[in-house]
Amino acid sequence: MLANDDVLEAIDLRVDYLGGAASIEEHGVILQSVNKYELCAEATLPQTEWWPFVHCMYGLQACLSYEADASVMSCAEAESGADDDLAIAGTDSIGDDCVCTLEGVVDYCATMHTSTTFDELAACKTSERADELYKQSDDRAEVVNGGDPLWVKINGVEYSYSSNETVPGLAAWATSVFSVTCQALAANEIASPDSCAMFLYRETA
């Protein structure tokens, strides 16, 4: 859905991150840095830049466990979904200049999708502002976290995917979220993006 620029420009998007003790125990302390980089992007960049940046990092998430040069996996291998339980590949075309570390991925995704730089994001990541963003985001996420693997709120209503994840199941959930988003835009009399046409009823003359 958010790969469609007209939809991304039409909505008000916010992504929050679980970052409490249980999440750190599951993913490691590096989770704090990952979340702070992405929250810094979200707080300082236009939506049409920070979301592609976050999406790029998600596609390369297998690299985000490494802070030093990792010879275990390349960025291209990570993007291919080789380390994903469902083997779902990312959507970026990965060049040879991507280094499969957290800093390497931040640098690569910032260069490919934003007007900022790694140095600016790194400075933000270690700032008091990043600490505030991290706590606020975790607080919001903890309030609405019901334990489902995937969930999103559209105009305050939750749409979750609570069954065991499968490729068809994920596709069905994503399609339903796309449809509800388009219907919400239409209900609020916001000009419907062309990408929403398949989900909206059109009266014929």
Side-chain angles (χ1 to χ4, degrees), residues 48-130:
T48 50
E49 291 190 23
W50 73 254
W51 170 251
F53 169 81
V54 168
H55 185 266
C56 174
M57 286 189 63
Y58 185 79
L60 291 163
Q61 63 181 313
C63 295
L64 305 186
S65 299
Y66 305 106
E67 287 185 293
D69 285 351
S71 58
V72 178
M73 180 177 291
S74 69
C75 288
E77 288 172 321
E79 186 75 5
S80 74
D83 197 47
D84 185 83
D85 290 341
L86 298 178
I88 297 176
T91 57
D92 273 79
S93 297
I94 303 300
D96 294 334
D97 53 340
C98 178
V99 178
C100 192
T101 63
L102 171 57
E103 289 78 10
V105 167
V106 172
D107 189 13
Y108 182 82
C109 292
T111 299
M112 295 298 295
H113 296 288
T114 78
S115 57
T116 193
T117 65
F118 170 79
D119 288 343
E120 290 176 319
L121 289 172
C124 175
K125 192 258 296 187
T126 58
S127 68
E128 291 184 4
R129 175 60 173 151

Side-chain angles (χ1 to χ4, degrees), residues 11 22 29 42 64-65 69 72 76 81 113 119 158 179-180 183 190:
I11 65 174
V29 70
E42 187 172 346
L64 305 186
S65 299
D69 285 351
V72 178
H113 296 288
D119 288 343
E158 182 177 306
S179 175
V180 171
Q183 293 170 44
I190 297 171

Side-chain angles (χ1 to χ4, degrees), residues 186-203:
N188 284 279
E189 297 183 346
I190 297 171
S192 297
D194 290 342
S195 299
C196 284
M198 70 184 82
F199 297 113
L200 300 176
Y201 172 75
R202 305 287 189 186
E203 292 187 5

